[in-house]
Amino acid sequence: MSELFSDEYFMKQALIEAQTAYAKREVPIGAIIVCRNRIIARSHNLTETLNDVTAHAEMQAITAAASVLGGKYLIDCTLYVTVEPCPMCASALGWSQITKVVYGARDEKRGYQKFSTGVLHPKTIVKGGIMEDEASELMKRFFKERR
């Protein structure tokens, strides 16, 4: 795979979205969805902005990507997200039949792997730890400032 289309390249794009969330005082999680090496959706948490507990970065990205593709299934797509998806987002990703999920930092408290590992589609590939330090540091800084 070309450096241009590496997991690190796309995770950097998700981190840009996380920085946007951070600037808006949203929990700094960013997500992008890639289909055939093209970014088709970018998003970040909007739970505070929209006053909606379901407005996670992943949920926003799923909706945007489905709109671009003209259908609800995200086959041949990869989600890049800065933090491991929660059970709600992982379930939505499972329903979307997304091909691959790549995340940065694990979420030890609320990540889907703690509660419901079987919610993703059986064929979905999961890869964690991509640019984990950058994603984790942004989260730590955000919550430290809020305390």
Side-chain angles (χ1 to χ4, degrees):
M1 185 177 346
S2 166
E3 279 299 311
L4 178 61
F5 300 125
S6 68
D7 287 339
E8 289 77 14
Y9 170 81
F10 289 121
M11 188 60 75
K12 285 179 185 175
Q13 299 301 307
L15 282 163
I16 290 169
E17 288 296 320
Q19 289 284 358
T20 300
Y22 183 92
K24 293 179 179 181
R25 300 182 61 82
E26 294 276 359
V27 175
I29 298 175
I32 64 164
I33 294 181
V34 175
C35 187
R36 297 180 185 93
N37 290 326
R38 188 182 78 138
I39 297 172
I40 62 168
R42 354 178 114 250
S43 62
H44 52 271
N45 272 3
L46 290 170
T47 58
E48 300 299 323
T49 302
L50 299 177
N51 198 29
D52 179 355
V53 297
T54 68
H56 291 194
E58 301 94 326
M59 300 296 275
Q60 302 298 307
I62 291 166
T63 300
S67 179
V68 167
L69 295 174
K72 61 186 176 182
Y73 297 116
L74 302 181
I75 298 166
D76 296 327
C77 294
T78 300
L79 168 78
Y80 291 87
V81 62
T82 56
V83 176
E84 174 189 352
C86 72
M88 172 186 70
C89 293
S91 293
L93 289 162
W95 284 107
S96 79
Q97 297 183 25
I98 197 155
T99 300
K100 186 175 180 182
V101 173
V102 179
Y103 67 87
R106 277 212 59 196
D107 185 342
E108 300 292 337
K109 292 182 182 176
R110 296 187 178 175
Y112 84 95
Q113 292 180 78
K114 179 176 181 176
F115 300 102
S116 49
T117 56
V119 297
L120 291 174
H121 190 273
K123 292 182 180 177
T124 299
I125 299 162
V126 178
K127 184 176 181 182
I130 303 299
M131 299 189 72
E132 180 177 10
D133 292 342
E134 293 87 340
S136 182
E137 177 55 37
L138 187 59
M139 291 288 283
K140 287 176 187 172
R141 187 170 28 141
F142 176 82
F143 285 109
K144 183 178 180 185
E145 289 175 3
R146 301 300 170 282
R147 290 188 175 110

